[in-house]
Amino acid sequence: MEGFDVAQLAHVEIYTPKPEETYWFFHDLLGMEETTREGQSVYLRGYEDFYHHSLKITEAPKPGLGHIAWRAASPEALERRVKVLQSSGAGQGWQDGDLGHGPAYRFTTPDGHVMELLWEVEYYQAPPAKRSPLKSRPSRRPLRGIPVRRLDHVNCLCSEVAPNRRFMMEQLGFKLREQKIGERGVEVGAWLSVSPLVHEIGLMRDATGSRGRFHHVAFWYGYPQHLSDLADLCSDYGIRIEAGPGKHGTTQAYFMYVFEPGGTRVELFGDTGYLIFDPDWKTVVWDVSNESDLEKSTIWFGGRLPETFYTYGTPPVEE
Amino acid sequence: MEGFDVAQLAHVEIYTPKPEETYWFFHDLLGMEETTREGQSVYLRGYEDFYHHSLKITEAPKPGLGHIAWRAASPEALERRVKVLQSSGAGQGWQDGDLGHGPAYRFTTPDGHVMELLWEVEYYQAPPAKRSPLKSRPSRRPLRGIPVRRLDHVNCLCSEVAPNRRFMMEQLGFKLREQKIGERGVEVGAWLSVSPLVHEIGLMRDATGSRGRFHHVAFWYGYPQHLSDLADLCSDYGIRIEAGPGKHGTTQAYFMYVFEPGGTRVELFGDTGYLIFDPDWKTVVWDVSNESDLEKSTIWFGGRLPETFYTYGTPPVEE
Amino acid sequence: MEGFDVAQLAHVEIYTPKPEETYWFFHDLLGMEETTREGQSVYLRGYEDFYHHSLKITEAPKPGLGHIAWRAASPEALERRVKVLQSSGAGQGWQDGDLGHGPAYRFTTPDGHVMELLWEVEYYQAPPAKRSPLKSRPSRRPLRGIPVRRLDHVNCLCSEVAPNRRFMMEQLGFKLREQKIGERGVEVGAWLSVSPLVHEIGLMRDATGSRGRFHHVAFWYGYPQHLSDLADLCSDYGIRIEAGPGKHGTTQAYFMYVFEPGGTRVELFGDTGYLIFDPDWKTVVWDVSNESDLEKSTIWFGGRLPETFYTYGTPPVEE
Amino acid sequence: MEGFDVAQLAHVEIYTPKPEETYWFFHDLLGMEETTREGQSVYLRGYEDFYHHSLKITEAPKPGLGHIAWRAASPEALERRVKVLQSSGAGQGWQDGDLGHGPAYRFTTPDGHVMELLWEVEYYQAPPAKRSPLKSRPSRRPLRGIPVRRLDHVNCLCSEVAPNRRFMMEQLGFKLREQKIGERGVEVGAWLSVSPLVHEIGLMRDATGSRGRFHHVAFWYGYPQHLSDLADLCSDYGIRIEAGPGKHGTTQAYFMYVFEPGGTRVELFGDTGYLIFDPDWKTVVWDVSNESDLEKSTIWFGGRLPETFYTYGTPPVEE
């Protein structure tokens, strides 16, 4: 596979007005492990996440995106991308480093989503009681809830998709894997990646016209049954399921969307969809002004997506 | 992710002394589609394989490996690698191209496995009756057997693992993801890749000391239930299951091994194992002179591997 | 478990105006085996159905229910029930026997659904090529589609549920396992059985007020993945999915509803729900005039049921 | 279905020399709920077990069977069976009732396994915090381990199968569903039930010739994935898996056998196998002196059963 300067999604920070309930959701229901707590933040990881954390939860008055952190492919790749970001005016400068990683270069997308790029990471070291004899597993599979394995991707709402999509491609080197084009040729969705995954980031038009909102963060199970298991628990414990389990045509994801108690939408990913190994991949384009593409791209099978899927993001729109 | 000159496993050719039974196995039981037939060969693909074929079956007196074809990441990457192969003496020269692809550069591993590297491929174009409304799916899911989705990886037996593993790394740019070291530090297994997959090729020591034999070709389902479904059919239709379904510690593969009627071992891959996105991955090393690593690396869960797993390869050893 | 004079659902006859497409659906997609063809009818069975057939498809101008056949627990049980039916006026007399079974006593529910009760059955005898070495499996698992294992249950629409429910209990000895009560105490649904299954028959209020229509016939897989597999094929081959995969609260069924091309709704049953072994079972009553019971009983998880679920039955209502 | 005086397996008591570790296994790993603790005993239930408990764990010097309790189909059925047991000499008299049930009549099988028959049971009443909105679920699905749903069946080792099998049929009214006959016509296994389940009790010849030992108690999941999930956890947490996941030919069970830390073998049941609704069922007979029947009945797919499967029972044989 050809080279990318961005290697992977490293972690995501979300804000929550209900830190205890949000913690219960990720820790007790999704079985994530707490690495550290500091100030108003808790750092968590799935049991197959290799670094210090993949999720940072920070208390705040409203739900929303803190930031999205990407790991560069090498120190040189980091340097290359920082130069590009600096010269484009998107850059906001270096951060000293948070718990779990070294210096990070902060920047914003045209819509204003805050992102960071970094190279140095702290690998999670399990204490003896949590070590797994499975050597590629950084810690034992937890005995709580339906434990997610690792962070998978993020999805950002955009006032306009095209400039944000171009930003990810031109400034960061992502490839466009799938795309949705609506009425009058307007781009309404884009799925981009730096690996055989169909996307590490999705961009979708915000039906409310708002700027810079967050749609969801996704964690990976890899097994369809685990979405049923989690759905069963959500109904039993009063967690609201927005949609799914079902299969999108776009990305072929076997998905479920739920709202964690603080208000952030979380996607659970029940299989691997498909992987792109073709180095000469031609973007899959869905023309959603056309009924068949609209229907098949959105829901390949499973119930329809509710209106909120297109209008709700974090922070919520003030009324 | 950093760059690799080899992008992916493109196709595999196997020999069979029983072409009709072998065809039944891949077409009727594994649901593969026939693209073409020519001379003593049939060309097949899984319904999510994008190119002309991923498997070529050629009639021959004995089962064995024909060749393994890799697709380069670009025309320039192909050129670069051909120069390396030519200068190392492993190269055997250009082939005119077979059905479904352009010129291919042929070479052999130190053990003698025949491989090819190519850039130009013919994309499969489904006839109208086989077109899927799922735009990332090159043809409809077949209504036969338990249809495999795509080619996944190959595994070669080697008289000595180390030189063949170094060849894949140095001549072709593969990375070593996992490794097994046995008594007296002898390398007994290596799993290498050019993508987040843990391996596109595995190399294992041939317990018979033979050179250049083939262990297996693997196809991907992505769903654990499909291994049970196939196992059920194998028992019902008299296809010999060698091992599994079960889970290896090495690669975390949820596996099943069966023998197609011509004698080639075929692995069916029931989930995605784990994916490596860390650009600074440290090889997972199992010390199989140690009882715990030996057991956990071989079988994480599921029945034991039989002796044949270490001694049977194609072509079979003459007695 | 205490005794029941009715032992099981034996077979169902449906009418179709599109016999070829309907045959394709059951034979190619649901993998059923054809036992015989006679006149305008084809007789089919799932590979774990033990008798001559579990489904009879008969060509007719409109889709609809032919009849539902129950097998008695013994010749004496048959006799006992015929007496009850005769004296109640529901009986219509003996039929000579159809292909695959002996004399059957025909009767109708208060709403007019045609049913039969019989004792003598012809066991399916697989020809040598279809015999399974699995001795409790009457024929090999087919290599076509996503093969259903056996007939599971039927569901009838009723102009009023209560009299039909009482009929099944009083005339035939069914037990009421679950029940839905709506506004003003009106019974809107009833699930009855003669075994640990929650239901061999469901009765639901017809929102159109029609009499004697059929809601669906259900076949059993037992494995959740098979509903996803079938849903995937339905989308690929243009078969309309009405709802699911999802899980009902009522009966705990993991369900999917599709329309076979002739117009009959078919349910596919993806797990076993729960089984009732308690000999002193208290009917589970859902009060669907209450929002929580309404929502949880209908959909425990999965997308909402569309309006058609309550209004479409066979034969369709003339407009 | 015709009547049976025994309705169901109500609960099982096992002895353990390691009560804390055994409790961890059932409570933390199998997600069972503790109802009560009294003296040296703890009472547990799966989240879909309706009564006070389905498992009683009692501290004792050695692992072994305490007793097996059956619920009668009615007070009259209980009375009928007690008379039979009394007159046959197998009866041992009435027990006053244990926690969770009323008077129980105690008796022993010819091999000496202790059993009880009872009618009155205490239904489990969940405290508000554990109540499920799913009305057929007696308590919420727990957030611990891979929670079993309910007790399924027991399996007893016998010095001779035939007299014990006849006892279950003649004294208690069980039906013989499947049977294994070995060399010289000796009966080596019997699977009996009083419902469409293939067995609530299995009887297998003890290869050590011991009398009255216990082979296993089985709990039900209903979903194949849960066996993989549990197997993964067992390997991670050091619980010994004896065999599976795999599928037996006999009973069609998708099984896994593990040893709880106190020494009792526990089977986990990953699907429903098949159900018997035919009121005129002919026992499936496997002739295991014949190689094909031996292999197919034991393992339809999955790894071989180890020697311990035939020789280890509780209490273990003294050496």
Side-chain angles (χ1 to χ4, degrees):
Chain A
M1 150 161 280
E2 73 253 73
F4 290 94
D5 280 348
V6 173
Q8 64 176 140
L9 177 61
H11 62 258
V12 177
E13 180 191 21
I14 60 167
Y15 296 142
T16 175
K18 299 187 180 173
E20 281 177 38
E21 291 90 331
T22 297
Y23 180 80
W24 177 87
F25 175 85
F26 287 107
H27 181 266
D28 289 69
L29 192 61
L30 299 196
M32 296 184 78
E33 300 276 5
E34 175 183 335
T35 319
T36 327
R37 232 167 231 272
E38 197 183 72
Q40 297 310 97
S41 299
V42 189
Y43 298 78
L44 297 154
R45 51 180 284 286
Y47 69 99
E48 292 190 353
D49 278 318
F50 290 97
Y51 307 150
H52 176 271
H53 66 279
S54 57
L55 179 69
K56 180 181 177 181
I57 302 172
T58 299
E59 187 173 1
K62 281 188 204 173
L65 172 67
H67 71 279
I68 294 164
W70 305 100
R71 191 175 182 206
S74 65
E76 298 72 32
L78 173 58
E79 222 174 293
R80 274 194 299 272
R81 287 297 151 182
V82 168
K83 270 188 199 142
V84 172
L85 290 163
Q86 279 172 332
S87 68
S88 77
Q92 299 196 327
W94 288 95
Q95 309 288 309
D96 267 358
D98 192 358
L99 287 177
H101 63 83
Y105 188 79
R106 185 163 280 216
F107 59 96
T108 55
T109 64
D111 237 54
H113 304 97
V114 178
M115 295 185 173
E116 292 183 357
L117 190 60
L118 54 88
W119 163 248
E120 285 170 26
V121 292
E122 183 185 322
Y123 287 84
Y124 173 76
Q125 299 296 337
K130 292 193 175 177
R131 268 176 218 154
S132 174
L134 183 50
K135 291 194 159 185
S136 56
R137 180 177 283 178
S139 58
R140 274 180 172 172
R141 176 171 171 159
L143 294 174
R144 283 190 317 279
I146 311 296
V148 297
R149 293 172 66 182
R150 62 164 170 76
L151 176 62
D152 191 83
H153 68 264
V154 287
N155 187 302
C156 294
L157 288 170
C158 302
S159 53
E160 285 183 84
V161 169
N164 290 282
R165 190 256 302 154
R166 282 196 300 268
F167 176 86
M168 296 305 295
M169 297 174 76
E170 292 162 13
Q171 310 274 310
L172 295 167
F174 280 73
K175 286 207 172 178
L176 180 60
R177 303 311 199 166
E178 299 205 19
Q179 192 178 32
K180 280 192 194 183
I181 304 295
E183 302 292 344
R184 289 176 302 282
V186 173
E187 184 169 355
V188 296
W191 288 264
L192 304 108
S193 76
V194 289
S195 78
L197 296 182
V198 183
H199 64 322
E200 283 100 10
I201 186 165
L203 303 172
M204 299 198 306
R205 191 171 50 171
D206 192 322
T208 68
S210 307
R211 289 176 66 84
R213 297 202 301 160
F214 190 56
H215 196 268
H216 68 260
V217 54
F219 292 91
W220 187 67
Y221 282 123
Y223 295 103
Q225 179 65 44
H226 294 160
L227 292 200
S228 291
D229 291 345
L230 185 64
D232 193 22
L233 288 176
C234 285
S235 288
D236 235 355
Y237 288 82
I239 292 295
R240 186 175 146 217
I241 299 172
E242 187 185 34
K247 185 179 169 83
H248 290 310
T250 311
T251 77
Q252 292 198 28
Y254 187 65
F255 68 86
M256 179 165 68
Y257 296 96
V258 302
F259 294 108
E260 58 85 12
T264 295
R265 184 189 280 106
V266 177
E267 182 182 2
L268 289 310
F269 205 22
D271 66 13
T272 302
Y274 71 107
L275 295 171
I276 298 175
F277 297 106
D278 179 358
D280 200 24
W281 182 253
K282 281 92 190 165
T283 302
V284 169
V285 181
W286 302 84
D287 173 2
V288 295
S289 67
N290 145 333
E291 199 58 43
S292 159
D293 269 22
L294 175 61
E295 184 194 327
K296 298 300 188 189
S297 66
T298 307
I299 295 294
W300 179 246
F301 65 75
R304 290 177 169 235
L305 296 182
E307 184 60 19
T308 52
F309 191 80
Y310 301 102
T311 57
Y312 182 86
T314 46
V317 173
E318 299 287 335
E319 314 244 332
Chain B
M1 146 162 284
E2 74 252 76
F4 290 92
D5 281 347
V6 172
Q8 64 177 142
L9 177 61
H11 61 256
V12 177
E13 181 192 24
I14 60 167
Y15 296 141
T16 175
K18 299 187 179 173
E20 281 177 39
E21 291 92 328
T22 296
Y23 180 80
W24 177 89
F25 176 85
F26 287 106
H27 181 266
D28 290 68
L29 192 61
L30 299 196
M32 295 184 80
E33 300 276 6
E34 175 182 336
T35 319
T36 327
R37 232 164 232 274
E38 198 182 73
Q40 299 310 98
S41 298
V42 190
Y43 298 77
L44 298 155
R45 50 179 284 286
Y47 69 99
E48 293 190 354
D49 278 319
F50 289 97
Y51 307 150
H52 176 272
H53 65 279
S54 58
L55 180 69
K56 180 180 177 181
I57 302 172
T58 298
E59 186 172 3
K62 280 189 205 172
L65 171 67
H67 70 279
I68 295 164
W70 305 100
R71 191 173 183 209
S74 65
E76 298 73 32
L78 173 58
E79 222 173 292
R80 272 195 298 273
R81 288 297 151 182
V82 168
K83 269 188 200 144
V84 172
L85 291 162
Q86 281 172 330
S87 71
S88 78
Q92 299 197 327
W94 289 95
Q95 309 289 310
D96 266 356
D98 192 357
L99 287 177
H101 63 82
Y105 188 80
R106 185 163 280 219
F107 59 96
T108 54
T109 63
D111 238 55
H113 304 96
V114 178
M115 295 185 174
E116 292 183 357
L117 190 59
L118 54 90
W119 165 248
E120 284 169 27
V121 291
E122 182 185 323
Y123 287 84
Y124 174 75
Q125 299 297 338
K130 292 194 176 179
R131 266 176 220 156
S132 174
L134 183 51
K135 291 194 158 184
S136 55
R137 181 176 282 177
S139 58
R140 274 179 172 174
R141 178 171 169 158
L143 294 172
R144 283 189 317 280
I146 311 295
V148 296
R149 295 171 66 182
R150 62 166 171 74
L151 176 62
D152 192 83
H153 68 263
V154 287
N155 187 304
C156 293
L157 288 170
C158 301
S159 54
E160 284 182 87
V161 170
N164 290 281
R165 190 255 303 155
R166 281 195 301 266
F167 176 85
M168 296 304 295
M169 297 174 75
E170 292 162 10
Q171 310 273 311
L172 294 167
F174 280 72
K175 284 206 172 180
L176 180 60
R177 303 312 199 164
E178 299 205 19
Q179 191 178 31
K180 280 193 193 183
I181 304 295
E183 303 290 344
R184 288 174 305 281
V186 173
E187 185 170 354
V188 296
W191 288 263
L192 304 107
S193 77
V194 288
S195 79
L197 296 182
V198 183
H199 65 321
E200 284 101 11
I201 186 165
L203 303 172
M204 299 197 307
R205 190 170 51 171
D206 192 320
T208 68
S210 306
R211 288 176 67 84
R213 297 201 301 161
F214 190 56
H215 195 267
H216 68 261
V217 55
F219 292 90
W220 187 67
Y221 282 122
Y223 295 104
Q225 180 64 45
H226 295 160
L227 292 202
S228 290
D229 291 345
L230 185 64
D232 194 22
L233 289 176
C234 286
S235 287
D236 235 356
Y237 288 82
I239 293 295
R240 185 175 149 218
I241 299 171
E242 186 185 32
K247 185 179 170 80
H248 290 309
T250 310
T251 78
Q252 292 198 27
Y254 188 66
F255 68 86
M256 179 165 68
Y257 297 95
V258 304
F259 295 106
E260 58 84 12
T264 295
R265 183 190 283 106
V266 178
E267 182 183 2
L268 289 312
F269 206 20
D271 66 14
T272 302
Y274 70 108
L275 295 172
I276 297 175
F277 298 106
D278 180 359
D280 201 26
W281 181 253
K282 281 92 190 163
T283 303
V284 170
V285 182
W286 302 86
D287 173 3
V288 296
S289 67
N290 146 332
E291 198 57 43
S292 159
D293 269 22
L294 175 61
E295 184 195 326
K296 297 300 187 189
S297 66
T298 307
I299 294 294
W300 179 246
F301 64 76
R304 292 177 169 235
L305 296 181
E307 185 59 21
T308 52
F309 191 79
Y310 302 102
T311 57
Y312 182 85
T314 47
V317 173
E318 300 286 336
E319 315 246 331
Chain C
M1 149 162 283
E2 72 252 76
F4 290 92
D5 280 348
V6 173
Q8 64 176 142
L9 177 61
H11 62 258
V12 177
E13 181 191 25
I14 60 169
Y15 296 141
T16 176
K18 301 187 178 174
E20 281 177 40
E21 291 91 330
T22 296
Y23 180 80
W24 177 88
F25 175 86
F26 287 107
H27 181 265
D28 289 68
L29 192 61
L30 299 196
M32 295 184 80
E33 301 276 5
E34 175 182 336
T35 318
T36 327
R37 234 165 228 274
E38 197 182 73
Q40 298 310 98
S41 299
V42 190
Y43 298 78
L44 298 155
R45 50 180 284 285
Y47 68 100
E48 293 190 353
D49 278 319
F50 289 98
Y51 306 150
H52 176 272
H53 65 279
S54 58
L55 179 70
K56 179 180 177 181
I57 302 171
T58 299
E59 186 173 2
K62 282 190 204 169
L65 171 67
H67 70 280
I68 295 164
W70 304 99
R71 189 173 184 210
S74 64
E76 297 73 31
L78 173 57
E79 222 173 294
R80 273 194 298 273
R81 289 295 151 183
V82 168
K83 269 187 202 146
V84 173
L85 290 162
Q86 280 171 330
S87 69
S88 77
Q92 300 196 328
W94 289 95
Q95 309 288 311
D96 266 358
D98 192 358
L99 286 177
H101 63 83
Y105 188 78
R106 185 164 279 218
F107 59 97
T108 54
T109 64
D111 238 55
H113 304 96
V114 177
M115 296 186 173
E116 292 183 358
L117 190 60
L118 55 88
W119 164 250
E120 284 171 29
V121 292
E122 183 185 322
Y123 287 84
Y124 173 76
Q125 299 296 338
K130 293 194 175 177
R131 266 176 220 156
S132 173
L134 183 51
K135 292 193 159 185
S136 55
R137 181 176 282 177
S139 59
R140 274 179 171 175
R141 178 172 170 157
L143 295 173
R144 283 188 319 278
I146 311 295
V148 297
R149 294 170 67 183
R150 61 164 170 76
L151 176 62
D152 192 82
H153 67 263
V154 288
N155 187 304
C156 293
L157 287 170
C158 301
S159 54
E160 283 182 86
V161 170
N164 291 281
R165 189 254 304 153
R166 281 194 301 266
F167 176 85
M168 295 305 295
M169 296 174 77
E170 292 162 11
Q171 310 274 312
L172 294 167
F174 281 72
K175 285 207 173 178
L176 180 59
R177 302 312 198 164
E178 299 205 18
Q179 192 179 30
K180 280 193 195 185
I181 304 294
E183 302 291 346
R184 288 176 302 282
V186 173
E187 184 169 356
V188 297
W191 288 263
L192 304 107
S193 75
V194 289
S195 79
L197 296 183
V198 183
H199 65 322
E200 284 101 12
I201 186 164
L203 302 172
M204 299 197 308
R205 189 170 52 170
D206 192 321
T208 69
S210 307
R211 287 177 68 83
R213 297 202 300 160
F214 190 56
H215 195 267
H216 67 260
V217 55
F219 292 91
W220 187 68
Y221 281 123
Y223 296 105
Q225 180 64 44
H226 295 160
L227 291 201
S228 291
D229 291 346
L230 185 65
D232 193 22
L233 288 176
C234 286
S235 288
D236 234 356
Y237 288 83
I239 292 296
R240 184 172 149 221
I241 299 171
E242 185 186 34
K247 184 178 169 84
H248 290 309
T250 310
T251 76
Q252 292 198 28
Y254 189 65
F255 68 87
M256 179 164 69
Y257 297 96
V258 304
F259 294 108
E260 60 84 12
T264 294
R265 183 189 283 104
V266 178
E267 181 182 3
L268 289 311
F269 205 22
D271 65 14
T272 302
Y274 71 107
L275 296 171
I276 297 174
F277 298 105
D278 179 358
D280 199 24
W281 182 252
K282 282 92 190 163
T283 303
V284 171
V285 182
W286 302 85
D287 173 3
V288 297
S289 67
N290 146 332
E291 199 55 46
S292 159
D293 269 21
L294 176 61
E295 184 194 327
K296 298 300 188 190
S297 67
T298 308
I299 294 295
W300 179 246
F301 65 76
R304 290 178 171 236
L305 295 181
E307 185 58 21
T308 52
F309 192 80
Y310 301 102
T311 57
Y312 181 85
T314 44
V317 173
E318 298 289 335
E319 316 244 334
Chain D
M1 153 162 279
E2 74 252 73
F4 290 93
D5 280 347
V6 173
Q8 64 176 140
L9 178 60
H11 61 256
V12 177
E13 180 191 25
I14 60 168
Y15 296 141
T16 175
K18 299 185 180 177
E20 282 177 38
E21 291 90 331
T22 296
Y23 180 80
W24 177 88
F25 176 85
F26 288 106
H27 181 266
D28 290 68
L29 192 61
L30 299 196
M32 295 184 80
E33 301 276 5
E34 176 182 334
T35 317
T36 327
R37 229 167 234 274
E38 197 182 74
Q40 298 310 99
S41 298
V42 190
Y43 298 78
L44 298 154
R45 50 179 284 285
Y47 69 100
E48 293 190 353
D49 277 320
F50 289 97
Y51 307 149
H52 175 273
H53 65 278
S54 59
L55 180 69
K56 179 180 177 182
I57 302 172
T58 299
E59 187 173 0
K62 281 190 203 170
L65 171 67
H67 70 280
I68 294 164
W70 305 100
R71 190 172 183 210
S74 65
E76 297 72 33
L78 173 58
E79 223 174 292
R80 274 194 297 274
R81 287 298 151 181
V82 168
K83 269 187 203 145
V84 173
L85 291 163
Q86 281 172 330
S87 70
S88 78
Q92 299 198 326
W94 289 95
Q95 309 288 310
D96 265 357
D98 192 359
L99 287 178
H101 63 83
Y105 189 79
R106 186 163 278 217
F107 59 96
T108 54
T109 64
D111 238 53
H113 304 96
V114 177
M115 296 186 173
E116 292 183 359
L117 191 60
L118 53 89
W119 164 249
E120 286 170 27
V121 292
E122 182 185 324
Y123 286 84
Y124 174 75
Q125 298 298 336
K130 293 195 175 176
R131 267 176 218 153
S132 174
L134 183 51
K135 291 192 159 188
S136 55
R137 181 177 282 178
S139 58
R140 276 179 170 173
R141 178 170 168 159
L143 295 172
R144 284 189 318 278
I146 311 296
V148 296
R149 294 171 68 184
R150 62 165 172 76
L151 176 63
D152 192 83
H153 68 263
V154 288
N155 187 303
C156 293
L157 288 171
C158 302
S159 54
E160 284 182 85
V161 170
N164 290 281
R165 190 255 304 155
R166 281 195 301 265
F167 176 85
M168 295 305 295
M169 297 175 75
E170 293 161 12
Q171 310 273 311
L172 294 166
F174 281 73
K175 285 208 172 178
L176 180 60
R177 303 311 200 165
E178 300 206 18
Q179 191 178 33
K180 281 192 193 183
I181 304 296
E183 303 290 346
R184 287 175 305 282
V186 173
E187 184 170 355
V188 296
W191 287 263
L192 303 109
S193 75
V194 288
S195 79
L197 297 182
V198 183
H199 64 322
E200 283 101 10
I201 187 166
L203 303 171
M204 300 197 305
R205 189 170 52 171
D206 192 321
T208 68
S210 306
R211 289 176 67 85
R213 297 202 301 160
F214 191 55
H215 195 267
H216 67 260
V217 55
F219 292 90
W220 187 67
Y221 282 123
Y223 297 105
Q225 180 64 44
H226 294 161
L227 292 201
S228 290
D229 291 346
L230 185 64
D232 194 21
L233 288 176
C234 286
S235 287
D236 235 356
Y237 288 82
I239 292 296
R240 186 174 147 217
I241 299 171
E242 186 185 35
K247 185 180 169 82
H248 290 308
T250 310
T251 78
Q252 293 200 27
Y254 188 65
F255 68 86
M256 178 165 68
Y257 297 95
V258 303
F259 294 106
E260 58 84 14
T264 294
R265 183 190 281 106
V266 177
E267 181 181 3
L268 288 313
F269 205 20
D271 65 13
T272 303
Y274 71 108
L275 295 171
I276 298 174
F277 298 105
D278 179 358
D280 200 25
W281 182 253
K282 282 91 190 164
T283 302
V284 170
V285 181
W286 302 86
D287 173 2
V288 296
S289 68
N290 144 332
E291 198 57 44
S292 159
D293 269 21
L294 175 61
E295 185 194 327
K296 299 299 188 190
S297 66
T298 308
I299 295 293
W300 179 247
F301 65 75
R304 292 180 168 231
L305 295 181
E307 184 60 21
T308 53
F309 191 80
Y310 301 102
T311 58
Y312 182 86
T314 46
V317 173
E318 300 288 335
E319 316 245 332

